[in-house]
Every structure is written in structure tokens, then in C-alpha cells.
Amino acid sequence: MTHKPFTLFAVPFLALAACDTAAIPAGEDACGASALQDLVDQPADRLATMRFVAPMRVLRPNSAATMDHRPERINIAVDNRGVITSVTCG
């Protein structure tokens, strides 16, 4: 039968594709924002000394921001007083 050689050839690639998909975080906490909730109510100056694994942006009142949704990106909202008000993914 001619399908067996193709099946034996395709199976390793299908397995790799499944592994790659499993490595991508899913859900609303794809960026790890839940682990950063201790930043809420802290001064935004604290961010200067931190390193982030995921892409990160600080959103200040009246600042321009792209509207694209990137689940792996950390969004840190800061109010007019320079205090962090939320940490979310997007």
C-alpha cells in the first residue's frame, strides 16, 4: 500500500507541530500578568529597575497606543499621579 511510507514520513512532523502549539501560552494570562499584580498601586518608577521576559508597554493617560491585540504583551496602565493602576495582557 502506498499510504504507509507517507504516514511514516508525516507522523514526526505532526508531532512537532503539536509540540510547538503546546508551547504557546493560551488564555487571558498568556503574558504572565497574574504574577505581576503586586505592581498595582505601586509607583511607576519601580518599572525602571525591572526586567520583563515578555514584550511590555506602559500606557499613560492621553498617550498614543496601537490598538493591536497581542496576548503575549504586558500592558501596564499608569495614572496621572504616576501610580500603576492595572497590569494586563494584550
Side-chain angles (χ1 to χ4, degrees), residues 19-90:
C19 290
D20 187 41
T21 303
I24 299 170
E28 293 183 20
D29 196 33
C31 71
S34 64
L36 299 171
Q37 292 306 304
D38 64 322
L39 291 173
V40 175
D41 295 327
Q42 298 293 318
D45 294 345
R46 183 171 177 200
L47 300 172
T49 61
M50 297 180 70
R51 301 187 110 213
F52 295 90
V53 177
M56 184 272 292
R57 66 179 175 176
V58 177
L59 303 170
R60 298 182 186 276
N62 302 317
S63 64
T66 60
M67 296 302 292
D68 63 322
H69 180 70
R70 294 178 47 201
E72 75 282 1
R73 178 176 53 207
I74 302 167
N75 291 319
I76 300 176
V78 176
D79 67 12
N80 286 328
R81 299 175 297 133
V83 176
I84 298 169
T85 57
S86 69
V87 180
T88 60
C89 297

